[in-house]
């Protein structure tokens, strides 16, 4: 009846690596040609979370990459790059997918949007996504406390290895001994003095090159 059934392994070349609509032509010895089309999955990359601070752990998930056939023992390697810097390497599984984790480099600029790329080693195949590093900030816990109550400050995005000063209202409460780490992060807990004014007070965090503030409400016991 002129029918033809045969398995066809999609070749790995510059035409197929990017995915998209592909055309197959079958020609018999009588010169008759049949044409068919199919959609080949394009590589995709998902980054989670999309926004996080320097030093935080990020997960990348890839799909639609070149697969390893059953007769191939070694798998293709994927290099993960963040803003052009290689941060992880993993293998593509037999289904053309992968999962990997990496930490945001400590020298990444705050308030920046950076390209995350997954590149197949030795092949012209890759996928890209975006990740954002937010501005420097401080978080206070709790935001309402009495005099002599303990206040915890968690700061992120500050310059690395810099001295920190903290002021509540008009009173300096930390003047020495506190520094940011390699990711510009620190956590510090202290008790408010009995002389702290009541009501809403500004909590200011200073380093030699950056300052951020938030507010806390001081109440009677």
């Amino acid at each position: 009846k002129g029918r033809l059934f045969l398995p066809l392994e999609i070749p790995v070349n510059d035409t197929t690596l990017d995915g998209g609509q592909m055309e197959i032509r079958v020609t018999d010895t009588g010169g008759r040609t049949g044409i068919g089309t199919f959609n080949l999955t394009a590589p995709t990359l998902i980054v989670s979370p999309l926004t996080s601070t320097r030093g935080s752990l990020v997960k990348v998930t890839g799909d639609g990459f070149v697969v390893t056939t059953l007769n191939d023992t070694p798998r293709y390697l994927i290099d993960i790059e963040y803003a052009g810097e290689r941060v992880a390497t993993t293998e593509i599984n037999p289904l053309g997918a992968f999962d990997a984790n990496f930490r945001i480099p400590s020298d990444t600029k705050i308030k920046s949007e950076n390209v995350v790329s997954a590149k197949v080693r030795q092949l012209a195949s890759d996928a890209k996504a975006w990740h954002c590093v937010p501005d420097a900030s401080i978080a206070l816990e709790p935001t309402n406390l009495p005099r002599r109550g303990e206040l915890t400050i968690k700061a992120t995005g500050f310059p690395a290895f810099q001295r920190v000063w903290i002021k509540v209202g008009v009173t300096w409460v930390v003047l020495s001994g506190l520094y940011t780490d390699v990711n510009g992060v620190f956590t510090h807990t202290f008790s408010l003095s009995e002389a702290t004014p009541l009501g809403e007070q500004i909590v200011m965090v200073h380093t030699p090159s950056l300052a951020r503030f938030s507010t806390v409400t001081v109440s009677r016991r």
Side-chain angles (χ1 to χ4, degrees):
K1 297 182 180 180
R3 294 174 179 172
L4 174 67
F5 299 94
L6 77 161
L8 176 65
E9 182 178 299
I10 305 301
V12 178
N13 56 39
D14 292 340
T15 301
T16 60
L17 283 174
D18 290 335
Q21 189 176 74
M22 300 290 159
E23 182 179 273
I24 295 180
R25 291 174 176 262
V26 178
T27 303
D28 65 16
T29 54
R32 289 163 295 192
T33 298
I35 302 174
T37 60
F38 69 99
N39 287 315
L40 191 61
T41 302
T44 60
L45 185 67
I46 296 175
V47 178
S48 180
L50 293 175
T51 301
S52 59
T53 59
R54 295 177 298 198
S56 61
L57 190 66
V58 172
K59 179 180 180 180
V60 288
T61 302
D63 199 7
F65 285 81
V66 59
V67 305
T68 303
T69 63
L70 295 177
N71 295 327
D72 292 336
T73 301
R75 297 178 181 176
Y76 290 105
L77 292 177
I78 283 278
D79 289 324
I80 310 299
E81 294 185 356
Y82 187 88
E85 176 185 347
R86 189 168 69 182
V87 291
T89 297
T90 188
E91 291 183 338
I92 305 176
N93 68 27
L95 299 178
F98 67 86
D99 291 315
N101 297 303
F102 70 92
R103 292 194 178 277
I104 303 301
S106 301
D107 58 354
T108 305
K109 293 182 179 179
I110 59 173
K111 296 192 297 183
S112 64
E113 191 174 29
N114 302 284
V115 176
V116 183
S117 63
K119 299 180 179 181
V120 184
R121 191 174 293 184
Q122 298 178 337
L123 291 177
S125 177
D126 65 359
K128 293 181 175 64
W130 291 90
H131 175 269
C132 295
V133 174
D135 193 5
S137 65
I138 61 173
L140 307 181
E141 180 63 35
T143 57
N144 191 316
L145 74 164
R147 291 166 170 169
R148 294 189 178 179
E150 287 195 340
L151 178 65
T152 298
I153 299 178
K154 296 182 179 180
T156 60
F158 281 75
F161 304 122
Q162 285 202 355
R163 186 176 174 181
V164 176
W165 300 272
I166 300 174
K167 183 168 66 171
V168 178
V170 295
T171 304
W172 291 100
V173 295
V174 175
L175 288 173
S176 64
L178 182 59
Y179 294 85
T180 59
D181 67 9
V182 64
N183 295 310
V185 172
F186 74 85
T187 299
H188 186 68
T189 300
F190 59 93
S191 297
L192 297 182
S193 73
E194 187 65 38
T196 304
L198 299 177
E200 188 174 82
Q201 302 297 320
I202 294 177
V203 179
M204 185 73 71
V205 173
H206 289 267
T207 66
S209 59
L210 188 66
R212 290 292 184 271
F213 72 91
S214 187
T215 58
V216 64
T217 301
V218 181
S219 59
R220 297 184 186 275
R221 285 188 175 272

